[in-house]
Amino acid sequence: MNTIYILKPGELTLKGGNRNAFERILIRNLRKLLNLRGLAGSGERVEGSGGRFFVHCPPQTAPRVEDALNHLFGISGWARTRSCEKRVETLLAACVDEGKELYRQGLRSFKIEARRTDKAFPLDSYGIRVKAGQAVQEAVPGLAVDVHSPQAVIQVEIREKTYVYSLSQTGLRGLPVGTAGRGLLLLSGGIDSPVAGFRIASRGMGLDAIYFHAFPYTGEEARQKVLRLTEILAAYTLGIRLWTPGFTEVQQRIKTGVKEEWTTVMLRMAMMEAAEKLALRIRAKCLVTGDSLSQVASQTVENLNCAESLIQLPVLRPLIGADKEEIIRLARSIGTYETSILPYEDCCVLFSPTHPVLRGRVDEAQTLYKQLDLTEEIDRALSGAPVEKCGFLPPATAAPT
Ligand code: ATP
Ligand code: MG
């Protein structure tokens, strides 16, 4: 018998007229995630109807399906569900089985919630709650009814079939990737920027990424580390293209062209200029960074303002109000932390002044930056930049599920 999962959509239930489009993208993304795990047509099936989504799969592929569900933005939770015919006895039996399973897992109180889209079913939702509650209590005396704060909620849904489940897994929430266009993430090898990418992807934004490499000051290991981070992130965003322009020439010109205290602000401005140029070329709608207010000298509100003062595209900074512990917690849960802390220097570390300007004035920063005239160096860096594709489906396996 197939294993069946039920998925609860998250915020997209709040979408009015656009809801169908959001749901289509959610299903498309789920199919891609399954395909990426080699589950194209080994019996897996994705269906959606009436605000619920179902995945059917043979039991042996269930772990890979669950891994896919854990990488899907746009669902608030998912669970394995029992499905049975639409008869009262089978429904009660399924509830009892679910109750036994909850008890086995150590849970001691429950309540029943019921939803009936098929109004022809002989019991209404109140009737289902009462009958199923009694049946479970009789069969599993150690599991008490608690309607106010139960440890578990057994959900019953009467649709084209009867479904019984308790929503055991929390989803990533947010909105399906691809519903908010594409942005260009400035990805360093640090802890923050991968988390920033994850956060913005959770709002439905697809990503490409750029990493400024300062070879030989930062070695190939540093680039490989960023590539690895991109792969981890791409597993949630369904593919990221990573550009890695060499920025050494730009950095050297900055180092010799302005007073040491201004080098950090100038480097930020150069990164923004280069990232915007690439973003316009690849039609990304915005830049995304891992800045967090006042975390380091380049992240005072004045210096952030200098950094973006000569570009037009919006700069999104999803971590601006987050504190480091919160960022680390998220980095651990998405799987980037262990890679981020590998000890390869970021290019900025090598060129950091001992006493950087903390509150740069925009007019002064712009004058200094324009005097540096980095256009040629930036264009050269971009035109020679290698690009790598991470986490995309190879075309041959992109069959529908
Ligand atoms: P992170 O942990 O993301 O490296 P950070 O706390 O080290 O951030 P900064 O080094 O000031 O802070 O970098 C701020 C942001 O600038 C980064 O989050 C990233 O978006 C961008 N950035 C910094 N260095 C690079 C780089 N070499 N390539 C691309 N983007 C970079
Ligand atoms: Mg950094």
Side-chain angles (χ1 to χ4, degrees), residues 186-194 210-213 268 271 288-291 295-296 298-299 324 346-348:
L186 281 80
L187 185 62
S188 72
I191 297 170
D192 303 330
S193 40
I210 185 167
Y211 164 64
F212 298 102
H213 193 208
R268 294 284 155 214
M271 284 185 183
V288 182
T289 75
D291 294 305
Q295 195 191 81
V296 290
S298 59
Q299 294 169 4
K324 197 78 189 186
D346 182 31
C347 60
C348 318

Side-chain angles (χ1 to χ4, degrees), residues 49-354:
S49 76
R52 289 282 181 276
F53 300 90
F54 296 91
V55 189
H56 303 248
C57 69
Q60 64 272 22
T61 63
R64 276 183 285 163
V65 170
E66 293 185 9
D67 186 54
L69 296 176
N70 284 332
H71 286 81
L72 180 67
F73 286 116
I75 54 171
S76 64
W78 58 267
R80 275 186 192 222
T81 175
R82 296 165 201 276
S83 88
C84 54
E85 296 157 39
K86 281 194 281 191
R87 284 191 295 120
V88 176
E89 311 84 80
T90 47
L91 178 158
L92 297 181
C95 288
V96 166
D97 286 346
E98 188 66 24
K100 284 181 180 161
E101 174 63 24
L102 293 172
Y103 185 79
R104 204 184 54 76
Q105 289 170 11
L107 298 162
R108 294 295 175 258
S109 64
F110 80 106
K111 76 171 176 181
I112 305 271
E113 269 177 14
R115 232 166 81 136
R116 190 182 59 143
T117 40
D118 176 0
K119 304 292 178 205
F121 192 73
L123 295 176
D124 64 8
S125 29
Y126 175 76
I128 296 171
R129 287 204 303 272
V130 173
K131 281 232 170 206
Q134 279 168 355
V136 173
Q137 247 193 332
E138 277 165 25
V140 197
L143 199 60
V145 173
D146 179 348
V147 288
H148 299 298
S149 53
Q151 290 175 351
V153 179
I154 299 179
Q155 315 260 359
V156 179
E157 299 205 14
I158 314 286
R159 306 171 154 264
E160 64 302 331
K161 279 183 162 188
T162 299
Y163 295 97
V164 173
Y165 60 94
S166 26
L167 208 59
S168 47
Q169 302 295 324
T170 310
L172 291 181
R173 301 206 174 87
L175 295 167
V177 170
T179 55
R182 241 178 144 77
L184 181 64
L185 172 67
L186 281 80
L187 185 62
S188 72
I191 297 170
D192 303 330
S193 40
V195 175
F198 180 87
R199 270 275 170 89
I200 211 72
S202 83
R203 300 308 302 158
M205 183 166 273
L207 291 174
D208 284 311
I210 185 167
Y211 164 64
F212 298 102
H213 193 208
F215 192 80
Y217 301 99
T218 49
E220 177 58 18
E221 295 97 330
R223 207 181 72 90
Q224 289 300 326
K225 171 180 166 181
V226 174
L227 197 58
R228 177 76 200 112
L229 289 170
T230 310
E231 273 163 6
I232 299 171
L233 203 55
Y236 298 94
T237 67
L238 299 159
I240 295 179
R241 291 174 297 175
L242 170 71
W243 276 263
T244 56
F247 232 44
T248 315
E249 224 190 324
V250 171
Q251 289 196 245
Q252 267 156 354
R253 250 188 97 97
I254 291 174
K255 201 172 160 65
T256 52
V258 289
K259 280 202 200 135
E260 199 198 352
E261 70 225 43
W262 274 101
T263 50
T264 306
V265 174
M266 294 298 117
L267 179 57
R268 294 284 155 214
M269 291 175 81
M271 284 185 183
M272 290 290 176
E273 183 183 341
E276 181 179 62
K277 277 191 168 158
L278 175 62
L280 292 173
R281 203 171 87 204
I282 64 175
R283 300 215 175 91
K285 292 182 179 171
C286 63
L287 306 183
V288 182
T289 75
D291 294 305
S292 165
L293 191 63
S294 302
Q295 195 191 81
V296 290
S298 59
Q299 294 169 4
T300 60
V301 69
E302 292 85 353
N303 285 353
L304 291 175
N305 194 20
C306 290
E308 66 180 62
S309 67
L310 287 172
I311 66 166
Q312 307 300 317
L313 280 182
V315 181
L316 304 187
R317 299 182 167 97
L319 303 183
I320 200 70
D323 82 4
K324 197 78 189 186
E325 268 180 44
E326 192 183 340
I327 298 170
I328 289 176
R329 212 176 318 122
L330 200 50
R332 282 188 202 279
S333 80
I334 64 178
T336 52
Y337 183 75
E338 296 303 326
T339 305
S340 285
I341 58 172
L342 292 174
Y344 306 115
E345 296 283 25
D346 182 31
C347 60
C348 318
V349 178
L350 300 169
F351 288 79
S352 18
T354 19

